[in-house]
Structure formats: C-alpha cells, structure tokens
Amino acid sequence: MNALQTHGDESALTPLQARRLRIHTVHESVVFLRSDSPVCKAEGLGTQVRVAVRSGAREIMATLYQVEGEALGVDEAGLSESAWNQLAINDGDPVSIRHPQPVDSFSALRRRIFGLRLDDTSLRMVISDIAGGRYADVHIASFLAACTTLPLDLDETRSLTRAMVDTGVRLDWGAPMVLDKHCVGGLPGNRTTPLVVAIVAAHGLVIPKTSSRAITSPAGTADTMETLAPVDLPIERIRQVVEKEGGCIVWGGAMQLSPADDIMIRVQRALDLENDGQMVASVLSKKVAAGASHIVLDIPVGPSAKVRSAAAADHLEQLMKAVASDFGMEMVVHRSDGRQPVGRGIGPALEAHDLLAILEGAPDAPLDLTERACALAGILLEMGGKAAAGEGAALARETLADGRALRKFEAICEAQGGRRVPPVAPLRQTLCAPEAGEIATIDNRRLARLAKLAGAPETACAGVEMHVRLGEKVDKGQPLCTIHSASKGELEYAQAYAEANSDILLLVPF
Amino acid sequence: MNALQTHGDESALTPLQARRLRIHTVHESVVFLRSDSPVCKAEGLGTQVRVAVRSGAREIMATLYQVEGEALGVDEAGLSESAWNQLAINDGDPVSIRHPQPVDSFSALRRRIFGLRLDDTSLRMVISDIAGGRYADVHIASFLAACTTLPLDLDETRSLTRAMVDTGVRLDWGAPMVLDKHCVGGLPGNRTTPLVVAIVAAHGLVIPKTSSRAITSPAGTADTMETLAPVDLPIERIRQVVEKEGGCIVWGGAMQLSPADDIMIRVQRALDLENDGQMVASVLSKKVAAGASHIVLDIPVGPSAKVRSAAAADHLEQLMKAVASDFGMEMVVHRSDGRQPVGRGIGPALEAHDLLAILEGAPDAPLDLTERACALAGILLEMGGKAAAGEGAALARETLADGRALRKFEAICEAQGGRRVPPVAPLRQTLCAPEAGEIATIDNRRLARLAKLAGAPETACAGVEMHVRLGEKVDKGQPLCTIHSASKGELEYAQAYAEANSDILLLVPF
C-alpha cells in the first residue's frame, strides 16, 4: 500500500522546460510532449487527452499531442501560441503538466444532450467551465448542437445570459443613458452600425458601440470598421474615445465582455450554426457588459435571411425583450426587409466603400443602406429625446445630408487611431447574365458563402460586389456581380461555386 | 478579368515537400505549414481551416495549423502520423495542398441539428463524408449530439445502418450459420465474450468474433483479450484461425468493417456519449459486415447501467430486432441484471484474471460471470442445434466443467499468435469500509470512471478489483475494493475521486 500525496501537491510533479513552437491553433491550447517523456509515463497521459499546464501561479487546460524523435527534448514541453500567451512565460521556464480535475459540468452537458432542461446552477457551471477553457471544441460543439435540436427555452436563455454576464467584465460609462444598436444578421452588406453611431453621436448622445468580427458571415462590423480605423483598442483608450466623441466603433472581443461567448462563437463559426437562445444570450450578455440602457434591434426577415418568417421573428423578439427587461434595458425592435443584400458591397472593404459613399454624399451611394441606417438612428434619436416620435428618421437624414455625420465619423476614426483607406482587391471576375430576364430571388446564404470562398472576411479586400437588385430587368451578358479576391486559388474556388450555383441570383424570363 | 483555371487543375498548385513530424493526433489528420508559405498566400489559407492534401493519387482531408520560425522550411508541409500513414509517403515527396471541395452533406447535418429528420440519401451522404475524413471532430460531435437530443427514429436507424454497411467491407465465412454475440455494455467487468466463444466453438459451431476496444468503459473485449493473446490480426490470419478453431476473439477495428463507425466512436469516447439509434447502427453494421447470421444480444438493465429501465430495454430491443431482420439476421435478446459489476475485475488485465479462473475451474472463480456466460452460450448452442430448447445453459456449464472450453480457448490463443500472461499492477490502494453496514447500491458509472482514472484501458494492468457485492454485510475497516495502477499520478487522481465519491458503494447501517 502506498503513501499517497494529495491532489494538489506539486512537489510530486517532474518539471519540464517550456519551449515556444510558434504554432497557431486559434483558441484551443495545445501542448506537445515526447511520447517517452517521464511525465507521460508518470501521469499515464495518452495522446489527445486534456491536461492542466501550470507555470507559476497560472494554470491552463490544453490538448496534449505526443511527439516522437529529436524535434523536442525529452524534458521539454512544446507550446502553441495560445498556450504560450495565456501562460505568459519565456523559453526554458519550468512548467508542470498533470491530469486535469474532472470537469464538474460534464454531467449537466450530458443531461442537456439527452434532452433534459438545465437550471440556473447547471448552466452557470457549464458557462464557467467553458470560460475557464475546460471544454474541448467537441464538448462545445455538442452543447451548441443540443441547444439547437431542442431549442433553449426562456428560462434557460435567461440563465445562460446571466451566467455569461457573470463571467465577464461590466462597463460603466457614468452616463444616465447609454445607447446601443444590434442587428441579428444574416443579411450580407447590412452594415448600418458606423452610420448609426456617427449620426447619433453627432447629436451628443452616448453610444459606445462594441462589435464582433464575422461569426458565420463574410464580414462583421469590426471587420469592416478595421479597414477604416483601428478597432482593437484597450478599454482605457475606448473610454477616451467615448469621452471625447460620445461614440466609438470598436472590436469587443479583446475586452472579455463575455469570454464564454467569445469561445463558443469560434466553434459556432466552424459549424456555421446559430440558434435563438444562444443568440439572445450572446447579444444581451455583451450589451449588459457594455453598459447599454437603450437598444434598437434590427431583425431582417426573408426566406434566406437568418430569420425566415414573421413567426420566427416573433419568437426571437419575445425572447430578446423578455431577457432585456430582466436586466433593466429598454429595447425597440425594428423589422426590416431581409429578401436581398443591402448596399452593393459584401466583404469588409467593399462594405467600407459603401459607407464612405453615403457619408460623403456621393451621387451613386446605395440608397437602401442609407434608408436602413436612418430608420435605426431615428429610433435611437427618439429614445434619446432628440426627436419627437416619428421624426427621428428625418433628423437622421438631415444629419447625413449636412455633413455632421461625416465630421463625427472622421473624428471618431481619428480618436481611435487615425482614418485608414480601405484596400482594393487585385483580382476580379465579373459574372454576367446568361440570358435576359428579371431578378426573381437572391439567395443571401449562398451569396455569403460565395463571398467567403473569395476570401472574406480574413482577406479584407475580398468579397462580392452586387450590380443588380431584386425585380431588376437585365439583358443577356449584363454584369450581375463581381467577385473580388486577393489570391488566385480563392478566386477559382469562388468562381467554381458560382458556376455550380447559377441560381443564387434567379433570373426568370420577362 | 482573369483567365481562370478549372477547379481540379493541379498545375496551378505549388508543390511542397512532405516532412514527417512524428506527432500523434489520433485520427484527425493535421498538416503544418509556415504562415509565410506561398501556398497559404496563394490559396488564402488561414490557421485551423480544413484542407485537401494530395500526394500522387491519394488525397486526404486535414486540419491546417500555421507555424512561424525556422522549425519548418517555407516549402515544407509537416504531417502528423495519421496524415503520413494515410498518404503512405516518404520524406521529401511532393505534396500539394488546396481548399477542399465544399462538403455536400453539411446542409443535411445542419437540417438534422435544427431538428429535421434525414432520409436515406442524406444519411448516406453524411456517413460517406465521415468515412472519407471530410468531417472535423466538431462536425461529428454536433451530429452525435443532435441524434441524441432528438433520438434517431426507426427509419433513420435503418438508413444509418445501411449507409455504414455500404462504406465497409463484408466478410463471407462460407458457412451456412455464423454465430455472434454482443452486449450493449455499461456493466463493468461483464466480460463474457471469450468464455462464450470458447464454449460455442468447442461444439464445432462457427463464431468469428470481432470486438471493439473500450468506447466509454474501462475495458473493451479487445482490450481484455489483448492481455491474453494478440488480437490485431490481418483478415487472412483471422480466416486461418476460424478455419482451424471455428472461433476467434479479435479486434475488429483494423478490418474496416464500418469505417465511419470507427471514426465516430473516437468522438463518442471523448464525449462519453452513446444513443440507441447510433448503437444499433454501430453494432449491426459490424455484425452484417462480419457475416453473422445468428446473434444473441445481452442487455443488462439497472439504474446505473447503460440501459436503465425495462421501457428503455424494450425500445432498444425493438430497434435492434427490426433492423437485424432487415438484413436477414436472427436475433435472440437476453436481458440480465445490470445493478452491479460482474466478476471481480474492472480493467483489461483484471478481467482477464477472472476469465482464466473460470476456464481453469479455480475454486474462487466468480460465479456470477460464469452464470452469465453460460446463459448466453446456451442460447447460441440452442440456436446452433447443439442443445434442445432450455438445455443450452446446462451444456455450456458442462463444457466449462470438463475442460473442453479451456482447451478450445488455449487453442484459439495459440492460433492467434500465442498465449500471453496478463500483467499485474505495481501500485495498489485498497479502500475500506468507514463503518459497518450493508452494500445497498453500487454506481456502475462512477465505478467505471474510477477504473479509468486509475489508467484503464490504456494501461492494461490498471483498474479496480471488487471485494464485495450488493447486499453483502461488511464490518468497519473491511476491504471494499482495490485500485490498481501503474503510475503514481493516476493512483492519486483515482484515490482523490474515490474520496470525493465515497457513495459509489453505498453503505446503509444494518
């Protein structure tokens, strides 16, 4: 019989030397050990198991891969970039590796997968373990799928939102009214946020807007805005921007507003998956964390948008409003036409060019995007007491027309670090009408896929530029849209996809 | 406007030199490229994307990780062991890397996650893409979760089984009757297979048994049998064994009986997840592939077994029988007591010691395991016409008692490559009763977890040895069970788990 050491006693663990391998694995931390490492033997660690990696006071969870041969020393622990950064160490620093504690919330995860509802406590445990990096991607994927197949109900959505809020920070802007705007997405090119912020802030209202990068779309607001100004600012810098200009348009991901959500979003992206409850918790946890008190929510509805019917919009609206009111937030929902893309550009830089055209009052600026931005800004101007009921949109239009919105937008860009010029794609391919006809339907989902195949959002200049709109009559050979790309490989794949899906823009004879 | 090459034209692709990195990533193939590699730029490949890797006529799907620094040349493609083996190449061979074709079945996967049923064609596409390595682990995890939250129905289970059968090989033994046996599992130590095969084959019947390694349990039959004889045989060797001895007990994983199932099982293991439809498809696709015509199915029922109630057993039995009859297989279902572990050992070698004790007629051989094996062997002896109805179990007992089963077992081991002596763990820790009482319940699930923490099944000698059974009265300080382990780290974690879960064996005062 053996004298056993207690679970947390580190003296028992052989220390290894950290080695930076400069391998990018996105968020899932990876540690590489020699298969003949004494630690693998002593701890009985196989390949692709989850382990706890500790250096000093910091401990992270990582996936272990075993390596053979001389590339790694037998007393070395090779670390991926995410592990390296989270541990904040230097080459040669001692690290210890051991079995992780059993993950308490796995039994709750299991129950949810088997179709049982989770209560507040269980969801809190799940979210805390996800935020703590204790879930591998397969666990997160199974949680997301289970919460889609049996949709999260109102109670679960409330609990999930609360749990996400509690794992993140919570900002306070010292203002009695903090405005915010959100679109549930699904509509390519619907990039109203920079316009709304500029218009609303031009009237002295406070609108500190944090945006995400693309989840399943070819561009997120942060991706588009990044082609116009820096968006990755530390919180102190954001405070300075908002104090000076009343508004900002920044990336929220580095602020740890909702760390569990940031992790889940990466898996959602790999799965191309979103569900109502998850979306409500994701959006509202970030709004609460960002200190918002008044929100306008844009829900585009259309057969190939994220929300496909009035009934689906009703469900989402009810869920959003119920959970928002739990947190004392006032919310106005604006439903919009989701049958086709908005503006002309789909992709970060292409959308930025649309925004600049509108702000600068260019004669060919896309009117549909202008009108949507003014409708949303108008609601916020009314909520903020700057316009009487029903008069907000007109005031927003005026603010655009007289250049106040452009001046405010330029000032915000300067405050965030300086205006940038959006890039232009070096490779293009125009798709033309194979015959004359009328544009009967546009498939948003496959159009987004086309823009992504072209390289968006990773490649800022990539995407799709639209030349036609629903109901438009075109001649044979007339340009329908242009694929923009920065690499030959991507342009090829996008074109092959377009050829195999020639009904993305459905033409009917007239 | 650019002249575009067609999708499949390889002349456009820069060739890279293959480099073996000797990294074990289990089944998910990984390829490492320098982030400044011209291929990453030309193809627009980010980190952690899925890519197609081609060498000569072979092409596989892999996950791409970008690496910085000098560890890898800018024109090299570093490959994990699974990628290396699947491509069957040598260091320096040219490989090309490009965007994969869009995975056609992802829209079906998406529909299933959103709660819609899949038809035969869609499930066939999903299974074909999984077998072809076109799904990352997160996709498989989401499919498994969706098919658990909304359980697969009979039609889906039939389609899934057919699809799995069609992606694998199908063996023919040239015998009119081929017997088989399966247990749905969930009961630690229930290792009847080697006994059943020995008894049945001793009567001249054909029972070519292929078994799996542990999925979520501390030992699979293949893990246990491997401590007694080689189990990883090529199909030609297996044929020789069966021709000579009538039976075999081998690992089925290398035979590609159901390649999609083999891949899914690895993700199921990471998730500790199994569902009825999936289980039926997994079991029956392998039985069809293995050429079975008559099957006895053991379903242990108990509150902490895999099947927890008579109703759950009914559902599983119906599903199994319906799908089995689709493929012309005769099946008898045997329900057994699933309230506690069977035999004394839990873990590969510990279970092997139980088997040897029974075959050798040791006076302390576990009677419960003997009785279970004889019940199942008896049913097969009756199906095979070697015993009249109701007399099979007695014949099985006789075959054990007179040494015929032992001789047949030894002969099978010799034919498979030679008898081995199961290992014994170097480290042990006995857990004793904190007070006097009666064993009221035993939690199979947590007991299995304890054995896995001790190192089973990866470490063959590790596991748990039981000293008591349900209903037994024990004194204070009397041994309840002993943890066996080969590493101090694992013994510690197992003991810590046992201390935190002292009610795994629930004592009530008497």
Side-chain angles (χ1 to χ4, degrees):
Chain A
M1 216 163 293
N2 296 275
L4 287 174
Q5 267 142 330
T6 61
H7 196 70
D9 183 356
E10 277 188 71
S11 62
L13 303 168
T14 320
L16 294 161
Q17 285 172 29
R19 171 129 162 240
R20 185 174 186 173
L21 294 183
R22 299 185 185 278
I23 294 176
H24 297 277
T25 54
V26 197
H27 65 296
E28 199 173 357
S29 290
V30 176
V31 57
F32 298 84
L33 290 186
R34 279 267 289 266
S35 44
D36 55 350
S37 152
V39 171
C40 285
K41 292 222 178 85
E43 295 275 313
L45 297 170
T47 198
Q48 222 184 13
V49 298
R50 300 282 288 170
V51 292
V53 184
R54 175 176 284 251
S55 168
R58 296 194 187 216
E59 185 171 89
I60 62 163
M61 295 278 289
T63 298
L64 168 69
Y65 286 128
Q66 289 190 358
V67 190
E68 280 163 30
E70 301 302 312
L72 208 61
V74 74
D75 60 346
E76 285 183 323
L79 296 168
S80 71
E81 287 298 278
S82 51
W84 191 262
N85 294 331
Q86 282 182 68
L87 287 171
I89 50 178
N90 296 305
D91 263 313
D93 279 359
V95 291
S96 60
I97 291 177
R98 51 176 190 159
H99 279 276
Q101 309 267 4
V103 179
D104 288 335
S105 69
F106 276 174
S107 66
L109 169 62
R110 196 181 158 76
R111 288 201 308 278
R112 190 59 177 79
I113 292 173
F114 274 98
L116 302 170
R117 298 282 175 191
L118 295 187
D119 63 10
D120 206 75
T121 310
S122 299
L123 280 166
R124 196 170 292 272
M125 283 168 65
V126 169
I127 291 304
S128 156
D129 281 335
I130 290 175
R134 288 181 284 275
Y135 274 41
D137 283 357
V138 288
H139 300 120
I140 297 173
S142 66
F143 179 66
L144 293 171
C147 295
T148 307
T149 308
L150 174 71
L152 293 162
D153 65 18
L154 178 57
D155 282 344
E156 286 182 318
T157 304
R158 284 188 155 125
S159 297
L160 195 66
T161 311
R162 259 195 300 271
M164 284 187 185
V165 165
D166 291 350
T167 57
V169 299
R170 206 156 164 170
L171 305 180
D172 181 1
W173 301 96
M177 175 180 273
V178 176
L179 302 180
D180 211 326
K181 174 260 162 193
H182 189 81
C183 175
V184 302
L187 208 50
N190 193 15
R191 196 61 51 216
T192 54
T193 293
L195 302 172
V196 172
V197 170
I199 294 167
V200 170
H203 287 276
L205 293 168
V206 176
I207 182 162
K209 181 78 181 86
T210 56
S211 297
S212 61
R213 298 193 189 277
I215 300 176
T216 60
S217 72
T221 295
D223 300 311
T224 296
M225 189 63 195
E226 196 164 34
T227 70
L228 292 162
V231 295
D232 187 1
L233 309 186
I235 178 67
E236 311 78 50
R237 285 288 320 286
I238 296 175
R239 281 195 189 284
Q240 290 167 5
V241 175
V242 175
E243 257 167 46
K244 187 154 178 283
E245 302 298 343
C248 67
I249 307 139
V250 297
W251 177 53
M255 298 166 70
Q256 297 278 298
L257 290 179
S258 184
D261 188 50
D262 293 342
I263 291 170
M264 282 191 282
I265 277 178
R266 294 196 179 99
V267 179
Q268 278 176 268
R269 189 182 300 168
L271 293 174
D272 196 8
L273 187 67
E274 232 174 357
N275 66 66
D276 276 7
Q278 192 72 38
M279 200 193 304
V280 169
S282 170
V283 169
L284 293 186
S285 67
K286 285 186 166 152
K287 298 300 172 211
V288 174
S293 64
H294 291 72
I295 305 169
V296 61
L297 180 72
D298 180 12
I299 303 185
V301 184
S304 61
K306 198 173 281 177
V307 177
R308 300 189 178 196
S309 65
D314 288 345
H315 179 253
L316 183 60
E317 176 169 347
Q318 274 172 10
L319 219 49
M320 281 278 188
K321 283 188 160 170
V323 181
S325 86
D326 282 359
F327 292 95
M329 294 186 292
E330 220 172 281
M331 175 179 277
V332 174
V333 170
H334 175 75
R335 293 198 195 176
S336 58
D337 178 1
R339 292 175 304 151
Q340 62 181 327
V342 184
R344 270 190 282 276
I346 302 171
L350 289 167
E351 295 174 18
H353 290 296
D354 279 353
L355 295 178
L356 291 178
I358 293 169
L359 287 164
E360 290 165 357
D364 63 343
L367 195 64
D368 58 339
L369 181 56
T370 309
E371 276 308 304
R372 281 171 174 263
C374 288
L376 295 166
I379 292 170
L380 288 175
L381 290 173
E382 293 170 18
M383 286 175 108
K386 299 294 176 183
E391 292 173 13
L395 178 59
R397 263 179 235 116
E398 200 185 301
T399 316
L400 268 178
D402 62 17
R404 274 182 290 172
L406 174 61
R407 284 194 298 279
K408 177 52 79 175
F409 183 75
E410 297 279 1
I412 290 173
C413 287
E414 284 310 315
Q416 288 188 194
R419 250 295 300 279
R420 292 171 175 171
V421 177
V424 174
L427 305 179
R428 301 181 194 189
Q429 173 72 40
T430 295
L431 306 177
C432 298
E435 56 208 337
E438 183 181 328
I439 308 290
T441 61
I442 298 180
D443 188 326
N444 292 314
R445 187 170 285 276
R446 285 188 290 164
L447 201 55
R449 171 100 186 118
L450 182 64
K452 284 157 78 178
L453 283 172
E458 286 80 8
T459 304
C461 64
V464 174
E465 181 188 356
M466 302 295 295
H467 304 303
V468 293
R469 296 187 49 74
L470 270 185
E472 199 166 324
K473 292 182 169 62
V474 298
D475 296 327
K476 181 176 177 178
Q478 186 176 328
L480 300 175
C481 65
T482 300
I483 303 172
H484 290 234
S485 186
S487 85
K488 204 167 59 132
E490 288 169 312
L491 190 59
E492 284 174 27
Y493 295 115
Q495 209 208 9
Y497 183 79
E499 279 168 9
N501 292 272
S502 56
D503 57 338
I504 294 180
L505 298 173
L506 188 68
L507 281 172
V508 293
F510 52 76
Chain B
M1 216 161 296
N2 297 277
L4 286 175
Q5 267 142 331
T6 60
H7 196 70
D9 183 355
E10 278 187 70
S11 63
L13 303 169
T14 319
L16 295 161
Q17 285 171 30
R19 171 130 162 241
R20 184 175 187 173
L21 294 183
R22 297 184 187 279
I23 294 176
H24 297 276
T25 53
V26 197
H27 65 295
E28 199 173 357
S29 290
V30 176
V31 56
F32 297 85
L33 291 185
R34 279 266 289 265
S35 43
D36 55 351
S37 152
V39 171
C40 285
K41 292 222 179 85
E43 296 275 310
L45 297 170
T47 198
Q48 223 184 12
V49 298
R50 301 282 288 170
V51 293
V53 184
R54 174 175 285 248
S55 167
R58 296 194 187 217
E59 184 170 90
I60 61 163
M61 295 278 288
T63 299
L64 168 69
Y65 286 128
Q66 290 190 359
V67 190
E68 280 163 30
E70 301 303 313
L72 208 61
V74 73
D75 59 347
E76 285 184 322
L79 296 168
S80 69
E81 286 299 278
S82 51
W84 193 261
N85 294 330
Q86 282 182 70
L87 288 171
I89 50 176
N90 296 303
D91 263 313
D93 279 0
V95 292
S96 61
I97 291 178
R98 52 176 191 161
H99 279 276
Q101 309 267 4
V103 179
D104 289 335
S105 69
F106 276 176
S107 66
L109 169 63
R110 195 182 160 76
R111 287 202 308 278
R112 190 60 177 79
I113 292 174
F114 275 97
L116 302 170
R117 298 281 175 192
L118 295 187
D119 63 10
D120 207 74
T121 310
S122 298
L123 279 166
R124 195 169 292 272
M125 284 168 65
V126 169
I127 290 304
S128 155
D129 281 335
I130 290 175
R134 289 181 283 277
Y135 274 41
D137 283 356
V138 289
H139 300 120
I140 297 172
S142 66
F143 179 66
L144 292 171
C147 295
T148 307
T149 308
L150 174 72
L152 293 161
D153 65 17
L154 178 57
D155 282 344
E156 286 181 318
T157 304
R158 284 188 155 125
S159 297
L160 196 65
T161 310
R162 259 195 299 273
M164 284 188 186
V165 166
D166 291 349
T167 57
V169 301
R170 206 156 165 171
L171 305 180
D172 180 1
W173 301 96
M177 176 181 273
V178 176
L179 303 180
D180 212 326
K181 173 259 160 191
H182 189 80
C183 175
V184 302
L187 208 50
N190 192 15
R191 196 59 52 214
T192 55
T193 294
L195 302 171
V196 171
V197 170
I199 294 167
V200 170
H203 286 276
L205 293 168
V206 176
I207 181 163
K209 182 77 182 90
T210 57
S211 297
S212 61
R213 299 192 188 277
I215 301 174
T216 60
S217 72
T221 294
D223 300 310
T224 295
M225 189 63 194
E226 197 164 34
T227 70
L228 291 162
V231 295
D232 187 2
L233 308 185
I235 178 68
E236 311 78 50
R237 285 287 322 284
I238 295 174
R239 281 194 190 285
Q240 290 167 6
V241 175
V242 175
E243 257 167 47
K244 187 153 179 283
E245 303 298 342
C248 66
I249 307 139
V250 298
W251 177 53
M255 299 166 69
Q256 298 277 300
L257 290 179
S258 185
D261 189 50
D262 293 342
I263 291 170
M264 282 191 282
I265 276 178
R266 293 194 180 100
V267 179
Q268 279 177 266
R269 190 181 300 167
L271 293 175
D272 195 8
L273 187 67
E274 232 174 357
N275 66 65
D276 277 6
Q278 191 72 38
M279 201 192 306
V280 169
S282 170
V283 169
L284 293 185
S285 67
K286 285 185 166 156
K287 299 300 172 210
V288 174
S293 64
H294 291 72
I295 304 168
V296 60
L297 180 72
D298 180 13
I299 303 185
V301 184
S304 61
K306 199 173 281 177
V307 178
R308 301 190 178 193
S309 65
D314 289 345
H315 179 253
L316 183 60
E317 177 169 346
Q318 274 172 11
L319 219 49
M320 281 278 186
K321 284 189 158 169
V323 181
S325 86
D326 283 359
F327 293 95
M329 295 186 291
E330 220 172 281
M331 175 179 277
V332 174
V333 170
H334 174 75
R335 293 199 195 176
S336 59
D337 179 0
R339 292 174 304 151
Q340 61 181 327
V342 183
R344 272 190 280 276
I346 302 170
L350 289 166
E351 295 175 18
H353 290 295
D354 280 352
L355 296 178
L356 292 178
I358 293 169
L359 287 164
E360 290 165 357
D364 64 342
L367 195 63
D368 59 339
L369 180 56
T370 309
E371 277 308 305
R372 281 173 175 265
C374 288
L376 295 167
I379 292 170
L380 288 176
L381 290 173
E382 292 171 18
M383 287 175 106
K386 299 295 176 184
E391 292 174 13
L395 179 59
R397 263 179 236 116
E398 200 184 300
T399 315
L400 267 179
D402 63 16
R404 274 182 290 173
L406 176 62
R407 285 194 297 280
K408 177 53 78 179
F409 184 76
E410 297 280 1
I412 290 172
C413 287
E414 284 310 316
Q416 289 188 195
R419 251 297 299 281
R420 291 170 177 171
V421 177
V424 173
L427 305 179
R428 301 180 194 190
Q429 173 73 42
T430 297
L431 306 176
C432 298
E435 57 207 337
E438 182 181 327
I439 309 290
T441 61
I442 298 180
D443 188 326
N444 292 314
R445 190 169 282 278
R446 285 188 290 162
L447 202 55
R449 171 100 186 118
L450 183 64
K452 284 157 77 179
L453 283 173
E458 286 81 8
T459 305
C461 65
V464 175
E465 181 189 356
M466 302 295 294
H467 304 303
V468 293
R469 296 186 50 74
L470 270 186
E472 198 166 325
K473 292 183 169 62
V474 298
D475 297 325
K476 180 176 178 180
Q478 186 175 327
L480 299 175
C481 67
T482 300
I483 303 170
H484 291 234
S485 186
S487 84
K488 205 166 56 135
E490 287 169 313
L491 190 59
E492 283 173 28
Y493 296 114
Q495 210 209 7
Y497 183 79
E499 278 167 10
N501 292 272
S502 57
D503 59 338
I504 293 180
L505 298 174
L506 188 66
L507 281 173
V508 293
F510 53 77

